[in-house]
Amino acid sequence: MKNRTKLWFLMIISVFVSFIIFISLSLLFGEIWDEGYNLRELKAISQETVDTIEQQRAFGKHEIQSILDQVHAEHPAIHLEWVDANGTSIYNTSGNMQNYTFQQLADRFLNMPENLWAEDETISFASSTTNSKQTYYLLMGLPSEAMKQGQINFYVRTTKVLFSLLGPLL
């Protein structure tokens, strides 16, 4: 093999190794120094909570209270609320029980993507479940300061887009 070919292989391999080292160190440093929640963690907390509620068939106030209080104890920055389809608050970990109109519920989710990185805003997250044709909602709320200070979300629907984004890097 010619020296020129060996040099090209060395350059290509070094580019890939550099990307792997950069991504690994970025993830490692992010886990160590960037405290807070990200969307994946919030979704996991929400899904685990809903799964626990469904497994225990805990849809009423007295049954749901211990589950939501336990999750709130593990994650004190997150306030959880159990709401039925009519907007009636069944239980709220902050103790602020109220009935919601559609407008009040929808207003919680306005400007949601921007609230993830804005200061002094409330982040809202919702999950739903059904019991005997009755829909219930788990509403999660936390201050934007409880989120990770730096997040990069990269969504790719098709591999064609991925190649068009990575092509110029080669």
Side-chain angles (χ1 to χ4, degrees), residues 20-33:
I20 291 170
I21 291 172
F22 173 74
I23 291 170
S24 301
L25 288 176
S26 296
L27 293 173
L28 177 68
F29 291 157
E31 287 297 319
I32 293 172
W33 287 298

PDB file of all heavy atoms in Angstrom, residues 20-33:
ATOM      1  N   ILE A  20     -15.740  10.267  18.297  1.00  0.00           N
ATOM      2  CA  ILE A  20     -16.119   9.375  19.398  1.00  0.00           C
ATOM      3  C   ILE A  20     -15.618   9.927  20.732  1.00  0.00           C
ATOM      4  O   ILE A  20     -16.359   9.951  21.720  1.00  0.00           O
ATOM      5  CB  ILE A  20     -15.587   7.954  19.139  1.00  0.00           C
ATOM      6  CG1 ILE A  20     -16.346   7.324  17.960  1.00  0.00           C
ATOM      7  CG2 ILE A  20     -15.706   7.084  20.389  1.00  0.00           C
ATOM      8  CD1 ILE A  20     -15.755   6.029  17.464  1.00  0.00           C
ATOM      9  N   ILE A  21     -14.387  10.400  20.774  1.00  0.00           N
ATOM     10  CA  ILE A  21     -13.841  10.970  22.006  1.00  0.00           C
ATOM     11  C   ILE A  21     -14.592  12.239  22.388  1.00  0.00           C
ATOM     12  O   ILE A  21     -14.949  12.440  23.556  1.00  0.00           O
ATOM     13  CB  ILE A  21     -12.329  11.245  21.855  1.00  0.00           C
ATOM     14  CG1 ILE A  21     -11.571   9.918  21.776  1.00  0.00           C
ATOM     15  CG2 ILE A  21     -11.804  12.098  23.010  1.00  0.00           C
ATOM     16  CD1 ILE A  21     -10.103  10.072  21.437  1.00  0.00           C
ATOM     17  N   PHE A  22     -14.874  13.092  21.420  1.00  0.00           N
ATOM     18  CA  PHE A  22     -15.602  14.335  21.699  1.00  0.00           C
ATOM     19  C   PHE A  22     -16.989  14.060  22.256  1.00  0.00           C
ATOM     20  O   PHE A  22     -17.398  14.637  23.265  1.00  0.00           O
ATOM     21  CB  PHE A  22     -15.697  15.174  20.426  1.00  0.00           C
ATOM     22  CG  PHE A  22     -16.571  16.399  20.575  1.00  0.00           C
ATOM     23  CD1 PHE A  22     -16.123  17.491  21.296  1.00  0.00           C
ATOM     24  CD2 PHE A  22     -17.843  16.425  20.024  1.00  0.00           C
ATOM     25  CE1 PHE A  22     -16.926  18.613  21.451  1.00  0.00           C
ATOM     26  CE2 PHE A  22     -18.654  17.537  20.177  1.00  0.00           C
ATOM     27  CZ  PHE A  22     -18.194  18.639  20.888  1.00  0.00           C
ATOM     28  N   ILE A  23     -17.724  13.166  21.626  1.00  0.00           N
ATOM     29  CA  ILE A  23     -19.083  12.844  22.085  1.00  0.00           C
ATOM     30  C   ILE A  23     -19.039  12.183  23.457  1.00  0.00           C
ATOM     31  O   ILE A  23     -19.822  12.526  24.345  1.00  0.00           O
ATOM     32  CB  ILE A  23     -19.802  11.967  21.047  1.00  0.00           C
ATOM     33  CG1 ILE A  23     -20.093  12.801  19.787  1.00  0.00           C
ATOM     34  CG2 ILE A  23     -21.090  11.377  21.609  1.00  0.00           C
ATOM     35  CD1 ILE A  23     -20.591  11.996  18.613  1.00  0.00           C
ATOM     36  N   SER A  24     -18.111  11.256  23.665  1.00  0.00           N
ATOM     37  CA  SER A  24     -18.004  10.581  24.961  1.00  0.00           C
ATOM     38  C   SER A  24     -17.678  11.551  26.080  1.00  0.00           C
ATOM     39  O   SER A  24     -18.300  11.527  27.147  1.00  0.00           O
ATOM     40  CB  SER A  24     -16.926   9.493  24.906  1.00  0.00           C
ATOM     41  OG  SER A  24     -17.234   8.547  23.928  1.00  0.00           O
ATOM     42  N   LEU A  25     -16.703  12.419  25.856  1.00  0.00           N
ATOM     43  CA  LEU A  25     -16.338  13.393  26.885  1.00  0.00           C
ATOM     44  C   LEU A  25     -17.448  14.405  27.130  1.00  0.00           C
ATOM     45  O   LEU A  25     -17.685  14.817  28.268  1.00  0.00           O
ATOM     46  CB  LEU A  25     -15.044  14.110  26.509  1.00  0.00           C
ATOM     47  CG  LEU A  25     -13.771  13.269  26.611  1.00  0.00           C
ATOM     48  CD1 LEU A  25     -12.562  14.055  26.128  1.00  0.00           C
ATOM     49  CD2 LEU A  25     -13.554  12.789  28.037  1.00  0.00           C
ATOM     50  N   SER A  26     -18.146  14.811  26.073  1.00  0.00           N
ATOM     51  CA  SER A  26     -19.266  15.747  26.243  1.00  0.00           C
ATOM     52  C   SER A  26     -20.364  15.132  27.096  1.00  0.00           C
ATOM     53  O   SER A  26     -20.905  15.786  27.995  1.00  0.00           O
ATOM     54  CB  SER A  26     -19.841  16.143  24.882  1.00  0.00           C
ATOM     55  OG  SER A  26     -18.896  16.845  24.137  1.00  0.00           O
ATOM     56  N   LEU A  27     -20.712  13.883  26.832  1.00  0.00           N
ATOM     57  CA  LEU A  27     -21.726  13.205  27.625  1.00  0.00           C
ATOM     58  C   LEU A  27     -21.276  13.005  29.066  1.00  0.00           C
ATOM     59  O   LEU A  27     -22.050  13.211  30.010  1.00  0.00           O
ATOM     60  CB  LEU A  27     -22.091  11.858  26.989  1.00  0.00           C
ATOM     61  CG  LEU A  27     -22.807  11.934  25.646  1.00  0.00           C
ATOM     62  CD1 LEU A  27     -22.960  10.533  25.051  1.00  0.00           C
ATOM     63  CD2 LEU A  27     -24.151  12.605  25.782  1.00  0.00           C
ATOM     64  N   LEU A  28     -20.014  12.629  29.252  1.00  0.00           N
ATOM     65  CA  LEU A  28     -19.484  12.423  30.595  1.00  0.00           C
ATOM     66  C   LEU A  28     -19.484  13.716  31.397  1.00  0.00           C
ATOM     67  O   LEU A  28     -19.965  13.757  32.535  1.00  0.00           O
ATOM     68  CB  LEU A  28     -18.072  11.846  30.520  1.00  0.00           C
ATOM     69  CG  LEU A  28     -17.363  11.644  31.860  1.00  0.00           C
ATOM     70  CD1 LEU A  28     -18.053  10.543  32.655  1.00  0.00           C
ATOM     71  CD2 LEU A  28     -15.907  11.330  31.639  1.00  0.00           C
ATOM     72  N   PHE A  29     -18.962  14.785  30.823  1.00  0.00           N
ATOM     73  CA  PHE A  29     -18.928  16.072  31.523  1.00  0.00           C
ATOM     74  C   PHE A  29     -20.335  16.598  31.780  1.00  0.00           C
ATOM     75  O   PHE A  29     -20.593  17.210  32.807  1.00  0.00           O
ATOM     76  CB  PHE A  29     -18.115  17.101  30.746  1.00  0.00           C
ATOM     77  CG  PHE A  29     -16.631  16.808  30.724  1.00  0.00           C
ATOM     78  CD1 PHE A  29     -15.843  17.329  29.721  1.00  0.00           C
ATOM     79  CD2 PHE A  29     -16.032  16.019  31.674  1.00  0.00           C
ATOM     80  CE1 PHE A  29     -14.483  17.081  29.683  1.00  0.00           C
ATOM     81  CE2 PHE A  29     -14.679  15.749  31.645  1.00  0.00           C
ATOM     82  CZ  PHE A  29     -13.896  16.274  30.653  1.00  0.00           C
ATOM     83  N   GLY A  30     -21.234  16.373  30.831  1.00  0.00           N
ATOM     84  CA  GLY A  30     -22.613  16.794  31.010  1.00  0.00           C
ATOM     85  C   GLY A  30     -23.281  16.079  32.173  1.00  0.00           C
ATOM     86  O   GLY A  30     -24.032  16.681  32.944  1.00  0.00           O
ATOM     87  N   GLU A  31     -23.017  14.788  32.317  1.00  0.00           N
ATOM     88  CA  GLU A  31     -23.596  14.038  33.436  1.00  0.00           C
ATOM     89  C   GLU A  31     -23.013  14.479  34.769  1.00  0.00           C
ATOM     90  O   GLU A  31     -23.697  14.500  35.780  1.00  0.00           O
ATOM     91  CB  GLU A  31     -23.361  12.533  33.244  1.00  0.00           C
ATOM     92  CG  GLU A  31     -24.203  11.910  32.171  1.00  0.00           C
ATOM     93  CD  GLU A  31     -25.684  11.975  32.478  1.00  0.00           C
ATOM     94  OE1 GLU A  31     -26.071  11.760  33.641  1.00  0.00           O
ATOM     95  OE2 GLU A  31     -26.459  12.258  31.555  1.00  0.00           O
ATOM     96  N   ILE A  32     -21.754  14.847  34.786  1.00  0.00           N
ATOM     97  CA  ILE A  32     -21.092  15.222  36.040  1.00  0.00           C
ATOM     98  C   ILE A  32     -21.466  16.638  36.462  1.00  0.00           C
ATOM     99  O   ILE A  32     -21.846  16.879  37.610  1.00  0.00           O
ATOM    100  CB  ILE A  32     -19.563  15.095  35.893  1.00  0.00           C
ATOM    101  CG1 ILE A  32     -19.180  13.616  35.726  1.00  0.00           C
ATOM    102  CG2 ILE A  32     -18.862  15.689  37.108  1.00  0.00           C
ATOM    103  CD1 ILE A  32     -17.726  13.391  35.380  1.00  0.00           C
ATOM    104  N   TRP A  33     -21.393  17.612  35.560  1.00  0.00           N
ATOM    105  CA  TRP A  33     -21.518  19.008  35.949  1.00  0.00           C
ATOM    106  C   TRP A  33     -22.837  19.679  35.586  1.00  0.00           C
ATOM    107  O   TRP A  33     -23.133  20.750  36.078  1.00  0.00           O
ATOM    108  CB  TRP A  33     -20.367  19.825  35.355  1.00  0.00           C
ATOM    109  CG  TRP A  33     -19.075  19.541  36.045  1.00  0.00           C
ATOM    110  CD1 TRP A  33     -18.792  19.757  37.351  1.00  0.00           C
ATOM    111  CD2 TRP A  33     -17.906  18.977  35.479  1.00  0.00           C
ATOM    112  NE1 TRP A  33     -17.514  19.372  37.621  1.00  0.00           N
ATOM    113  CE2 TRP A  33     -16.938  18.879  36.477  1.00  0.00           C
ATOM    114  CE3 TRP A  33     -17.581  18.536  34.197  1.00  0.00           C
ATOM    115  CZ2 TRP A  33     -15.675  18.378  36.274  1.00  0.00           C
ATOM    116  CZ3 TRP A  33     -16.313  18.034  33.981  1.00  0.00           C
ATOM    117  CH2 TRP A  33     -15.380  17.962  35.010  1.00  0.00           C
TER     118      TRP A  33
END
